Amino acid sequence: ILVTVADTDKTSVLEPVRLFSDLGFKLYATKGTQAFLEKHGVAAEALKKLGHGRPDIVDAIKNREIQLIINTPVGKTSQEDDSYIRKTAIRFKVAYITTTAAATAAAKGIAARRAGEPEVKSLQRYHKEIN
């Protein structure tokens, strides 16, 4: 899992990242995010941004080392960074999450599924079974 989030999202990404780590996922992060995670006791391997040396994020995605990306947009200042990550993710069919709330939901969902909890149901099926 690649984690690269805005400074304002770093604290809220800790919960899902810790859960993903506990589930056995290997974590990668960009330099700033990696330093933050390490400071808070979460191990992650640093990956270079595009243009900052090789191997970089694009290489890791192309080499199938990344199966999920958690990337919260910062705004216009990081539009270029977010764009190449998003485009590479789409090209290589890698799941891409843009909010920490969605990352938390994904981590909890994977944990629940691994614990053998029921499979996902459509809303129609769920409402039909309420009777």
Side-chain angles (χ1 to χ4, degrees), residues 62-128:
K62 284 181 179 180
N63 293 333
R64 307 284 183 207
E65 296 170 40
I66 307 293
Q67 283 79 44
L68 175 65
I69 298 170
I70 302 168
N71 174 239
T72 61
V74 180
K76 292 188 185 237
T77 55
S78 74
Q79 218 167 21
E80 206 172 284
D81 281 346
D82 295 339
S83 177
Y84 83 82
I85 295 170
R86 198 169 35 255
K87 287 175 183 174
T88 306
I90 291 166
R91 188 148 106 252
F92 290 91
K93 297 177 174 53
V94 174
Y96 193 90
I97 295 174
T98 59
T99 66
T100 58
T104 301
K108 288 181 176 180
I110 292 168
R113 188 68 190 116
R114 285 188 177 177
E117 292 190 21
E119 292 187 37
V120 176
K121 298 179 190 178
S122 68
L123 284 174
Q124 294 83 354
R125 183 173 161 206
Y126 176 79
H127 286 288
K128 186 177 179 180

Side-chain angles (χ1 to χ4, degrees), residues 18-72:
R18 280 190 176 120
L19 186 50
F20 281 125
S21 180
D22 291 345
L23 290 167
F25 288 91
K26 181 173 183 177
L27 300 173
Y28 296 92
T30 49
K31 184 179 176 182
T33 301
Q34 189 264 349
F36 178 84
L37 294 175
E38 292 280 334
K39 180 180 173 185
H40 289 86
V42 180
E45 185 177 322
L47 279 180
K48 295 177 177 100
K49 291 183 177 183
L50 189 65
H52 292 259
R54 305 287 294 269
D56 59 22
I57 290 171
V58 172
D59 295 324
I61 294 170
K62 284 181 179 180
N63 293 333
R64 307 284 183 207
E65 296 170 40
I66 307 293
Q67 283 79 44
L68 175 65
I69 298 170
I70 302 168
N71 174 239
T72 61

